[in-house]
Amino acid sequence: MDDLREKWLAAVAGAGDEAALEAVRVAALGKKGEISAQMRELGRMTPEERKEAGPRLNALKDEINAAIAAKKTALADAALEERLRTEWLDVTLPARPQRMGTVHPIAQVTEEVTAIFADLGFSVAEGPQVESDWHNFDALNIPGHHPARAEMDTFYMARPEGDTRPPHVLRTHTSPVQIRSMEAAGAPLRVICPGRVYRADYDQTHTPMFHQVEGLAIDRDISMANLKWVLEEFVKAFFEVDAVELRFRASHFPFTEPSAEVDIRCSWQGGTLKVGEGDDWLEILGSGMVHPKVLAAGNIDPAAWQGFAFGMGIDRIAMLKYGIPDLRAFFESDLRWLRHYGFASLDVPTLHRGLSR
Ligand code: DAH
């Protein structure tokens, strides 16, 4: 009995992992194990022998079971210790900065403009870049013979031979989204429509594709005063200054009556633009009261509703705000340019945190 005890306790102690320990358990206490065989021997003993050997054998069985359980816990603890030791990592190390690309100035400025007008209660509307001749021109009171059509340097889409309908165009401005918004939502209405527009033109300040944002507000008693206030709020917020002065110059657009071009007071002293002070004027947009024919084209009753509209070049205000000299570089995908003028990808412009910070 003592030999048995010594042999199996040593085997338990010597088991190096859970599999070895299980093999020891089976060899000692399993159905065909050595100690189980001894238990069966009890049946062949005399009552006196059994009285003596039975309790001792049971005690041995319990002792080995307990030793196995203790060893099992010890092995698991050791395995955990080993994992903790080898999988250790230093969470106090500084993170490695990873370049995630930058936000293009056009995307940044579009976000800025959207944040400002959203705060004034305007929602964002979009329209197709391949636009019908009617939406791009006629509905905006630019009939076929109108000189504005010729001035727009329009790109026309192809029509199959024999198809005499007017061809679609690459929209020359975002103004057709005014019509689509009126058709879709009716009055009252407050939207801005940022997006790409196209004209056949190319020099330092013109590219064949560029960006505009249209604004449209329609209600029962909207006036030029509302337009002026909204634009002042916009310019102050966009150029991040406390005060601005706007100048409304009488102008002409087919889709507004009256029409005005809007300049802001600025200075170019030292070669950098300062908005709100100085003796220069900077033209930033066209605007006016929506022409009754345009309201009617959008299925809105001009006797009951009126509104203001404006259209602004996003690329142009981006160049002004961020001091970018050449428009063409915007679309050349030069990585050095993008890294220099781009914005951090996780810095979403908001009014409360600052637009361009
Ligand atoms: N659509 C004009 C252009 O592309 C800009 C414009 C002027 C839009 C006056 C307007 C507006 O909505 O009222 O040059």
Side-chain angles (χ1 to χ4, degrees), residues 3 65 73-74 91 96 103 148 202 208 224 270 278 283 306 322:
D3 289 350
N65 259 329
T73 316
V91 294
R96 290 191 196 98
V103 172
Y202 190 70
M224 290 288 273
E283 186 196 322
Q306 48 195 333
Y322 293 112

Side-chain angles (χ1 to χ4, degrees), residues 289-330:
M289 298 302 292
V290 182
H291 196 290
K293 283 190 181 169
V294 173
L295 291 172
N299 297 326
I300 289 178
D301 178 5
W305 303 94
Q306 48 195 333
F308 68 69
F310 60 86
M312 189 162 49
I314 292 181
D315 319 73
R316 178 169 160 75
I317 62 171
M319 290 169 77
L320 291 170
K321 179 169 180 180
Y322 293 112
I324 305 171
D326 192 325
L327 176 63
R328 291 168 294 195
F330 273 74

Side-chain angles (χ1 to χ4, degrees), residues 42-63:
L42 291 175
R44 282 205 286 271
M45 292 178 185
T46 63
E48 288 74 34
E49 284 172 331
R50 198 180 309 136
K51 213 170 160 192
E52 141 85 2
R56 286 186 65 194
L57 209 49
N58 264 323
L60 176 61
K61 188 178 143 189
D62 289 347
E63 188 179 356

